[in-house]
Amino acid sequence: MSSSKHSKELRRLALSVLQPGFVGTEAPEWVLRAIADGLSSVVLFSRNIASPEQVARLAAQLRAENPSLIIAIDEEAGDVTRLESATGSTRPGNFALGAVDDTELTESVARDLGRQLHAAGVSLNYAPSADVNSNPDNPIIGVRSFGIDPALVSRHVAAWVSGLQSAGVAACAKHFPGHGDVAVDSHHGLPSYDATLEDIAAQALPPFRAALEAGVRAVMSGHLLVPAYDPDLPATLSRRILDDLLRKELGFDGVIVTDAIEMGAVTDRYGIEGATVRALAAGADAVCVGGENADEATAQLLADALESAVAGGELAEHRLVEASERVAALADWSSRIGRAVPVNPVSGDIGYIAARRAIRLSGAAQDVLPLSAPPHVVELVPTTNLAIGKETPWGVAVPLRERLPGTTFVRVHHQQLAASPAVLQEFALTPASGRPMVVVVRDASRNKWMGAALADLAAARPDAIVVEMGLPGPGAPGAVQIFTHGATAASGVAAAEVLVGGR
């Protein structure tokens, strides 16, 4: 092969293993040019989505350049949603499904989502989270996990994978080898999972084994240090974890895709180019990029880095070829199943049914429910991690006001309370005088300020009804507690229905 031909082929290989994001609801020219030059995947985020119909048009525009292009999305259908980021998810997330613990329901919810994604032209979904949320202080997983029991998480991961893939969309179990037992957000730093090999095998790996047995087409690596396997390199960059453990020991032969490669856990030490090259060398097949760095320059930078790494001997060319072939095999599978599965964009009520089934109550509900008058709702607002879109609405006040006109509400942030402790009296307690009061929280047991504010409100109003939309904590105050197990729009509606005494 001539040097120019080889150079062109190397460029195609480098582009084929990237999964970049971009800005806009139409495909930029640079993306279309890159697809013509060998780019075989793109990933959509909420900034690319106005409606399912618009996404379908965008997918058609992209696939005009390559009919088997992989179009990926990060749609967990829970607190982390891209398709419904502007309105909140019409389905409950994993933790709510785990609370119900009906695998047929979980499979039905995932199939319903899969139909919607398939109709919109999406072929790969970076979900489900197969993490076991064994550390209650975990800042990144929480209600994104099906629960704290590896056996429960395993059976629901398998059901979710089966449901999604039966609708023609490839699933991607994440964040290997398990992001549930850490206390650092990998968007900002490098978490460490300091368990023994035996504990990892018992606690973190069973859901990934279950995903593989269910035929999952992709696995996403986590940006976390797992010293029992590799004391030096995070999982995304570790051959011991990606090749020795996932490939050889667990027997996975599908696509390994990295978590967003621009995250601080890997770029702080190696830079975005260094992390990309090391991930491929360690055994990753596709590099997700563009959640934050969604521009042509970044995609070109990474393609250049891979080419240079091959030329300089840091990355074996056969490894790049192998990765490209795995991505092509996934694209082929997606194209075949995509043609075989009929397009059915109609979403049923299964999400709302599931959200209702996930509701749990404690306290003397019969004494205070249904509400006797329009309440004042106080929503205590946490700072969420970067995986959850800041634009995504959540809460109970809006759906409650629709069902009970006269409902008033206030949202209180930590910064407001820190600046003026009188905020609670002025905006929460005084407007609730002589009326029912509902306090809505999200992970109150993990957010100390929120737990303290909730305790103050409940002390002043022992008859307050508390709605916890995150992880249930021990001994929540309030006359009655309503646990939704997630903060999706569907969960908010389900809680509002309970407050008014029915649908």
Side-chain angles (χ1 to χ4, degrees), residues 78-302:
D79 289 21
V80 175
T81 177
R82 310 300 175 210
L83 207 60
E84 300 183 290
S85 68
T87 56
S89 176
T90 51
R91 303 169 181 91
N94 290 353
F95 197 70
L97 293 172
V100 178
D101 196 14
D102 177 346
T103 52
E104 286 186 15
L105 179 70
T106 294
E107 187 170 347
S108 296
V109 169
R111 185 181 298 112
D112 186 59
L113 171 68
R115 286 196 192 109
Q116 197 176 7
L117 292 174
H118 177 53
V122 172
S123 52
L124 169 63
N125 187 10
Y126 297 150
S129 164
D131 307 294
V132 179
N133 197 59
S134 46
N135 184 342
D137 291 326
N138 192 319
I140 187 72
I141 302 300
V143 296
R144 299 167 67 190
S145 166
F146 287 105
I148 62 173
D149 173 41
L152 179 144
V153 175
S154 296
R155 58 181 175 264
H156 287 278
V157 164
W160 211 96
V161 167
S162 297
L164 188 80
Q165 294 192 164
S166 72
V169 178
C172 177
K174 64 186 183 185
H175 307 80
F176 189 82
H179 214 306
D181 193 12
V182 300
V184 172
D185 183 343
S186 50
H187 289 94
H188 307 299
L190 178 59
S192 188
Y193 178 22
D194 298 320
T196 64
L197 289 175
E198 293 74 20
D199 285 345
I200 294 168
Q203 186 75 21
L205 294 183
F208 290 98
R209 290 185 185 275
L212 269 55
E213 287 167 14
V216 75
R217 308 304 301 192
V219 170
M220 178 176 280
S221 64
H223 298 332
L224 70 161
L225 205 62
V226 190
Y229 282 100
D230 191 328
D232 302 314
L233 294 167
T236 296
L237 314 181
S238 171
R239 175 164 282 278
R240 293 180 199 172
I241 292 172
L242 299 189
D243 197 55
D244 294 349
L245 176 58
L246 182 53
R247 290 278 183 227
K248 295 188 173 76
E249 188 178 328
L250 301 189
F252 180 59
D253 196 39
V255 168
I256 298 175
V257 59
T258 71
D259 203 348
I261 205 69
E262 63 262 57
M263 286 164 64
V266 289
T267 57
D268 287 352
R269 188 167 171 188
Y270 301 102
I272 195 167
E273 310 105 300
T276 296
V277 169
R278 283 169 169 81
L280 264 293
D285 305 302
V287 174
C288 170
V289 65
E292 306 295 310
N293 300 57
D295 51 54
E296 180 179 13
T298 299
Q300 296 290 351
L301 180 72
L302 299 190

Side-chain angles (χ1 to χ4, degrees), residues 2-25:
S2 71
S3 62
S4 63
K5 258 190 175 176
H6 181 254
S7 176
K8 194 171 182 183
E9 178 56 25
L10 194 55
R11 188 66 173 184
R12 290 191 72 82
L13 286 172
L15 285 168
S16 74
V17 300
L18 299 180
Q19 298 193 337
F22 55 88
V23 176
T25 53

